[in-house]
Amino acid sequence: MPDRGGGPTGPRIRVGRPSRRVRTLLMTLGVLAVLAMAFTMFAGFWTDWLWYRSVNYSSVFTTTLSTKIGLFFVFGLLMALAVGFNIWLAHRLRPPLSAMSMEQQSLDRYRMGIAPYKKWLLLGITALVGLIAGASASGQWRTWLMWINGVSFGQKDPQFHLDVSFYAFDLPWYRFLLGFGFAATILSLIAAALTHYLYGGLRVTSPGARATAAATGHLSVLLGIFVALKAVAYWLDRYGLAVKSSDFKATDNWTGLRYVDANAYLPAKTILFCIAVICALLFFATLWRRTWQLPVIGFGLMVLSAILIGGLYPAIVQKFQVQPNEQAKEAPYVEKNLKATREAYGIEGTQVTDYSGTSKTEDKTTLRDDVAGAASIRVLDPNIVSPTFQQLQQIRKYYAFPTNLDVDRYSVNGQDQDTVIGLRELNLAGVDKQNWINNHFRYTHGYGVVAAKGTTADADGRPAFTESNLPSEGVLGKYEQRIYYGEKTTTYSIVGGPQKEIDYSDDQGEKTTSYTGKSGVNLSSPVNRAAYAVAFGEPQILYSGAIGEGSRVLYNRTPKERVEAVAPWLTIDGDAYPAVVGDRVQWIVDAYTTTNGYPYASRTTLGDTTADSLTATNDNRAVVAQQNQVNYIRNSVKATVDAYTGEVKLYQWDTKDPVLKTWMKAFPGTVEKKSEISTALMAHLRYPQDLFKVQRELLTRYHVKDATTFLSGSEVWQVPNDPTNQSNDAVPPYYLSMKMPDQKAQAFSLTTTFTPNGRDNLSAFMAVDSEAGTSGYGKIRVLKLPTSTTVDGPKQVQSQFNSEQDIAESIRLLKGGDSEVEYGNLLTVPLDGGLLYVEPVYVRGGGLKYPLLRKVLVSYGGVTAFEDSLDEALNKVFGTEGATPKPPADDGDTTTPPPATGNTTVQEALQDAQEAFTAGQEALKKPDWEAYAKAQADLEAALKRAEDAQAAADKSGGTPSPSSSPSASAKPGTSASPTPSPSGSPSG
């Protein structure tokens, strides 16, 4: 036995509560942790509010936030109440404790364990399901705003004769409500059943009745609600058939009713609706009958009906009625789909014209004079020459141009001229000393526009710059050249404070500046600085001496992300482009309104249809809305972002679009009227590429208007792969000033080609008038080639080019040493019933790191030429070597005067003389006597060249081409641009 005496027992260890000091420390740390988490959440909210206020779109922030909060609390509370009420009711209806079975003895332990915490457990469960439901509902803010603000389309679907707005705005919201009802009912049913089981209302192994009368009535009502919701679902499914997608005749995402839908599924859904209503009433009747017999029979009948009526019967109709005579049965429904799809994608007005594909003129020499009038053939490929711009015009390593330059048009000497343009944007990777001050305070912006003629190059194959140097100078006049917002500007900058910024560098050294715009968020407030220190994860913002009075932080600086932020309801085009508008550089961003609920219109995945060889290989040309499926799209908004101030403006472009009108009701005051677009801005608006790519993809099948041809599949086209590279991606569309056969003059257009499905010969040529502000804007023209004759497509032309022995030998010589050959855009131009192909060829190498235009490929009517210049290649193809092509006749239509493509040396010299004279007049205004003297020298040299070239032409009876004329390659003191451009690699 152990000793129980009172001897010494050794030291006693006392285990008690921590000391007051420890408790205080722990409590302080806990409070600080909570405050830190709260401030982190506050910082995100506060910086968002400050940003929206800085761009004058605070209403977008408040409307979006209030809608999300409202939906969160309403639906979170409804879900919490539904689940909590049913748990409480199940507990309230628990039976009195009776003789304990083994099952109840096991459950009693759990009942006793949770007894002290019942209220807290109930609150915890309801709070959890409420939070989840509220968070899910807040994501439906777009659906709610479209439903509550929806306007009529003014068009009815052909099956139910309801306005399209019902499918676009109402049906998505009803489906959300239905889904929420199902979720609330199922969660309530599970929670009630578990509570009944826990407290003995339901018994699994105990002897006697399996459920008490109270539990039976409670669960029957919940099951009745579930079946009633299923009845509503069957009724909505009837309308859902009009927007249901399916695969049909090799067409992905076919949308709308077919024969089997209208004659089998539609009546089946109506019958199932009636059966579900009866079944729900039987479940409700258990409140009085207290038996599951009839409800179970009714539910079994509903399930059996769903299998037989909803599944087996439509399959029988499809097998024995549709398949034996499919074309006759499906034709009426195909016609509805054709009409709706063409309307939904804006291609209903497409003009499809038969085109022979072969020239009508036997003497091809007479066509040489018509080329200049047919198109301003662009030999400067904006997707190739970015490295050339970089090498010749980067000037400093901390500047860069985008991988893909843009094509625009500018008026030069009264004529519209296709122009390749790019901005000299900030490139922090080129900063020699990387640190926080340099990256965010000193190097803050790019500088200047660089532009070149699209239709010519200088004698060395370089771009003929019309705007160049640093600061930029040329034909674009005076404008704010600092680029604080651009496609490559992805980091934040802090400007306007005590720290000076590097503006640009010249021969006298670095120039500094301080931002004077009102953009960005003021950091004078300690709260703002602390919020941004947390938001950016940069504590130096809180205490750095480089931040002071007037400091402002600029962020969200790419044009696309700024427009997306102020208009989250828009889908943004993948390519923003810059333009000099008045005295500002403006980024122009095309934006779309879309919906997935246009009845009978087939769907398309935007990420697939807008992908091409450029989006696959270049970082600044992105696809739009990668996984977004739509069946209605409109280019309803044109947006601008000021490159200096970052100011965002949204302009209503499509004044009839009901989706835009709906969003304008939801966000009043955010979109300006179309009439507010200035004339200067209108001159640079164009038809957007991504919309064009979506439309061309649809037109591969929907260019036909009759159901029989559509069903046969004999007229299916495809967008060919880009023949100039090995990516196997679709050829991108090209901007080009050209004239279609029914047009009187050239128009700035967006063009593409089609080939038959699975073949490489040409089947059609498509162009859309892209000249904004004109009556023809947006008109789609398709030249359809006959199927009985074979006309070479882009791939075949490229293959012919590569396989000709003389050309192959020339290419081999061009590739000598370490040189690389790069093929530019293969342009297609309709001409006299045939198709003229033109492709510039660039060579990179021989010590140069940038491509130069060395050759031009021209193909027409099976004849191919590969010469040093466009003029020489055209002359060879048309058999007019040494002849002088006549300029296009003036027909009085001044919509888009054709630029001087293919001009002789005389014409080039006279144009240079005019530019030199204009430069002299500008120099006199400043006055800049050094520039004036240079302009006078250029003028004299140009006139001398014109005189010599004209004398040579008169003597030989023809006009020498620029490449063969001695004076063409030796232009004293000037180049093809009105301002001198670097002749070699610039320093720095």
Side-chain angles (χ1 to χ4, degrees), residues 174-497:
Y174 297 153
R175 282 177 165 169
F176 163 71
L177 292 179
L178 185 64
F180 178 83
F182 273 123
T185 304
I186 292 172
L187 288 176
S188 297
L189 185 62
I190 293 173
L194 289 175
T195 305
H196 280 299
Y197 175 71
L198 181 64
Y199 287 96
L202 291 178
R203 304 181 184 94
V204 177
T205 61
S206 299
R210 297 302 183 198
T212 64
T216 300
H218 184 195
L219 297 179
S220 295
V221 169
L222 290 175
L223 288 171
I225 293 173
F226 177 85
V227 176
L229 290 173
K230 187 60 179 175
V232 176
Y234 282 134
W235 189 258
L236 289 181
D237 284 347
R238 298 169 68 255
Y239 303 110
L241 293 172
V243 290
K244 184 194 73 171
S245 287
S246 59
D247 293 338
F248 177 53
K249 286 294 180 183
T251 302
D252 295 334
N253 295 317
W254 162 281
T255 303
L257 286 86
R258 290 157 50 191
Y259 181 89
V260 68
D261 297 312
N263 295 277
Y265 280 110
L266 186 57
K269 296 292 184 182
T270 305
I271 294 172
L272 289 172
F273 163 76
C274 297
I275 294 174
V277 169
I278 296 172
C279 186
L281 293 175
L282 291 176
F283 272 107
F284 293 141
T286 57
L287 285 172
W288 297 276
R289 294 180 55 86
R290 304 295 185 181
T291 176
W292 291 88
Q293 186 175 7
L294 287 178
V296 169
I297 293 174
F299 189 78
L301 176 63
M302 188 178 73
V303 173
L304 183 62
S305 300
I307 296 172
L308 297 178
I309 303 175
L312 184 60
Y313 174 63
I316 293 173
V317 172
Q318 177 69 25
K319 179 70 175 178
F320 296 102
Q321 291 190 34
V322 177
Q323 289 185 4
N325 192 15
E326 187 174 38
Q327 287 204 353
K329 295 291 187 182
E330 300 287 15
Y333 304 96
V334 171
E335 289 176 358
K336 295 174 184 178
N337 176 271
L338 288 171
K339 184 176 184 295
T341 302
R342 292 169 66 86
E343 289 174 348
Y345 291 94
I347 57 177
E348 73 277 10
T350 300
Q351 175 183 305
V352 180
T353 308
D354 290 334
Y355 192 72
S356 64
T358 55
S359 175
K360 310 167 188 174
T361 305
E362 294 184 5
D363 184 6
K364 296 297 186 291
T365 59
T366 61
L367 298 178
R368 177 62 179 90
D369 296 336
D370 298 332
V371 175
S376 299
I377 299 175
R378 179 170 45 75
V379 295
L380 198 67
D381 187 346
N383 307 308
I384 295 289
V385 298
S386 179
T388 309
F389 273 53
Q390 186 84 358
Q391 187 70 19
L392 300 179
Q393 289 296 321
Q394 179 188 22
I395 310 299
R396 292 290 182 265
K397 290 190 299 183
Y398 48 80
Y399 294 133
F401 293 92
T403 307
N404 299 103
L405 303 177
D406 289 287
V407 177
D408 203 346
R409 59 261 187 251
Y410 288 85
S411 180
V412 179
N413 298 327
Q415 284 191 333
D416 282 351
Q417 178 176 279
D418 287 4
T419 301
V420 175
I421 185 172
L423 301 189
R424 194 184 284 113
E425 295 190 47
L426 178 66
N427 174 32
L428 287 176
V431 176
D432 290 329
K433 189 175 181 181
Q434 298 276 340
N435 56 55
W436 188 63
I437 294 295
N438 277 346
N439 291 353
H440 299 289
F441 290 82
R442 286 177 55 78
Y443 296 93
T444 59
H445 60 278
Y447 207 97
V449 174
V450 176
K453 297 177 182 178
T455 54
T456 188
D458 69 10
D460 296 322
R462 297 169 179 161
F465 292 110
T466 58
E467 186 81 9
S468 58
N469 299 336
L470 183 67
S472 296
E473 54 187 358
V475 300
L476 300 183
K478 292 183 178 296
Y479 57 93
E480 174 56 66
Q481 298 198 21
R482 296 173 182 89
I483 311 299
Y484 281 88
Y485 294 88
E487 290 180 304
K488 301 180 75 67
T489 314
T490 56
T491 188
Y492 69 91
S493 291
I494 299 176
V495 298

